[in-house]
């Protein structure tokens, strides 16, 4: 397959087009599924938009668009899914161009077959990007806010309901709401994701070309591991900054 990455290419790299494709699916498809949105789910949507406004590595007019969406949604206590759908589309037109590409395919998150990877990979990528970029802000509550927003998003909107149930159980077990610092939020999500990777390794949902590993791989980050496989947390933290930090988000596919 000529579309595959050359073996030497770093498949950990994050591409902006994957982030915006994920964002677009979440705003067009997931948040609009409700018949009526009010109370906790509406607050969860506002929290999600709030962390996107603060920590998404915005290009084009996406920030203005998200701010307008947030402000408009805040003006009412109840919205129907179809009203939100209309609002999302109208604001997208008003702020065009919101997205930098109409790329139909994921790059980092492309599966070896269409049934693998894609949006769920995009959602992990998006939330890692948000925790890492929140950690670069002065406000020390930004990182914990991303975790709270992710919890609310997954609980209320994530189309994979099994995933949502597992995630909520894990979040309670790992005390997501006790995280108080930005760097701890980055590492909380990294640990949580590795826990999911461990559970899903060898599962039928695993793309054989992209096996579930304890991230990052030894070859990508040898300094991330200490003797007997223990993690070197400062090195892991640095690696996550290198991969998900706004300055390192790739605008173009490398060939
Ligand atoms: P993903 O696990 O989606 O990871 C995407 C990319 O992130 C990887 O390619 C890698 O570059 C990077 N990465 C991997 N691990 C880490 C880490 N620890 N820290 C930082 N970056 C990392 N599927 C189920 O079948 N059952 C479930 O219960 C389930 N729960 C989920 C809960 C959530 C919140 C989400 C977002 C998804 C869940 N999924 C679940 C889907 C599953 O986790 C994968 O997204 C899917 O199998 C596709 O896997 P992938 O190979 O694209 O890698």
């Amino acid at each position: 397959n000529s579309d595959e990455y050359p073996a030497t290419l770093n498949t950990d790299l994050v591409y902006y087009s994957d982030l915006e494709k994920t964002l677009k699916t979440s705003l067009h498809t997931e948040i609009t599924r409700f018949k009526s949105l009010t109370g906790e789910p509406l607050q969860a949507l506002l929290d999600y938009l709030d962390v996107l406004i603060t920590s998404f590595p915005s290009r084009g007019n996406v920030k203005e668009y998200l701010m307008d969406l947030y402000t408009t949604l805040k003006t009412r206590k109840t919205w129907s899914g179809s009203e939100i759908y209309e609002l999302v589309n109208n604001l997208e037109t008003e702020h065009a161009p919101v997205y930098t590409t109409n790329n139909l395919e994921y790059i980092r998150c492309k599966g070896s077959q269409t049934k693998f990877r894609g949006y769920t990979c995009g959602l992990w990528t998006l939330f890692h990007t948000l925790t890492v970029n929140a950690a670069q802000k002065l406000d020390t509550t930004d990182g914990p806010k991303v975790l709270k927003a992710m919890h609310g998003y997954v609980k209320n909107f994530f189309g994979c309901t099994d995933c949502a149930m597992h995630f909520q159980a894990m979040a309670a077990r790992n005390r997501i709401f006790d995280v108080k610092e930005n760097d701890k939020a980055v590492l909380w999500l990294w640990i949580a994701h590795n826990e999911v990777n461990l559970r899903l390794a060898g599962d039928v949902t695993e793309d054989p070309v992209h096996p579930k590993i304890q991230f990052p791989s030894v070859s990508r980050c040898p300094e991330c591991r200490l003797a007997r496989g223990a993690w070197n947390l400062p090195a892991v933290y640095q690696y996550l900054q290198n991969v998900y930090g706004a300055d390192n988000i790739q605008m173009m596919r490398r060939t």
Side-chain angles (χ1 to χ4, degrees):
N1 182 343
S2 62
D3 235 15
E4 274 172 16
Y5 290 103
T8 51
L9 203 68
N10 182 355
T11 52
D12 287 350
L13 290 178
V14 176
Y15 287 82
Y16 187 74
S17 65
D18 277 19
L19 292 175
E20 59 180 11
K21 193 167 159 53
T22 305
L23 179 65
K24 200 170 179 182
T25 300
S26 96
L27 297 180
H28 278 248
T29 314
E30 296 213 297
I31 66 163
T32 56
R33 270 200 276 258
F34 273 75
K35 207 161 187 174
S36 168
L37 202 65
T38 191
E40 188 208 310
L42 181 56
Q43 188 55 50
L45 174 55
L46 291 169
D47 290 347
Y48 173 56
L49 292 172
D50 185 36
V51 298
L52 285 168
I53 290 164
T54 309
S55 301
F56 187 77
S58 308
R59 305 267 156 54
N61 299 333
V62 72
K63 192 164 186 153
E64 291 72 20
Y65 157 72
L66 291 168
M67 283 164 61
D68 214 351
L69 184 56
Y70 177 90
T71 318
T72 312
L73 286 172
K74 242 183 134 56
T75 58
R76 279 170 42 186
K77 287 204 167 5
T78 305
W79 290 86
S80 70
S82 54
E83 284 170 333
I84 294 181
Y85 183 79
E86 205 181 317
L87 179 63
V88 162
N89 280 291
N90 285 346
L91 291 180
E92 216 175 272
T93 308
E94 205 175 295
H95 291 281
V98 167
Y99 298 109
T100 60
T101 166
N102 286 325
N103 218 345
L104 292 176
E105 291 212 316
Y106 282 101
I107 303 175
R108 181 194 215 215
C109 288
K110 186 174 181 204
S112 63
Q113 295 175 46
T114 47
K115 66 177 178 180
F116 293 128
R117 313 194 77 208
Y119 180 67
T120 61
C121 168
L123 209 55
W124 280 119
T125 304
L126 174 63
F127 280 109
H128 286 298
T129 302
L130 294 176
T131 54
V132 164
N133 288 297
Q136 292 171 355
K137 304 268 160 29
L138 286 179
D139 188 337
T140 54
T141 63
D142 280 341
K145 264 195 210 159
V146 173
L147 293 187
K148 180 171 179 268
M150 180 178 182
H151 185 271
Y153 184 86
V154 169
K155 178 179 174 191
N156 290 290
F157 302 109
F158 192 20
C160 172
T161 44
D162 265 5
C163 305
M165 269 166 40
H166 284 134
F167 186 77
Q168 280 176 88
M170 177 174 63
R173 237 178 11 250
N174 296 358
R175 301 180 171 277
I176 192 172
F177 297 119
D178 288 354
V179 177
K180 297 285 182 262
E181 286 137 15
N182 285 343
D183 53 348
K184 298 268 169 29
V186 170
L187 292 174
W188 189 96
L189 193 57
W190 163 72
I191 291 169
H193 193 171
N194 270 345
E195 206 176 308
V196 177
N197 294 341
L198 194 63
R199 180 160 49 80
L200 295 179
D203 189 78
V204 287
T205 58
E206 181 182 61
D207 186 334
V209 179
H210 301 275
K212 299 274 190 283
I213 58 154
Q214 291 301 285
F215 180 97
S217 65
V218 180
S219 57
R220 279 282 156 230
C221 184
E223 64 280 15
C224 286
R225 320 242 172 172
L226 300 167
R228 295 197 199 94
W231 292 108
N232 176 2
L233 292 180
V236 170
Y237 187 79
Q238 189 52 52
Y239 188 77
L240 294 170
Q241 292 288 339
N242 293 349
V243 168
Y244 294 102
D247 293 344
N248 301 319
I249 306 288
Q250 310 292 303
M251 290 310 288
M252 305 281 281
R253 180 175 190 154
R254 296 221 187 129
T255 48

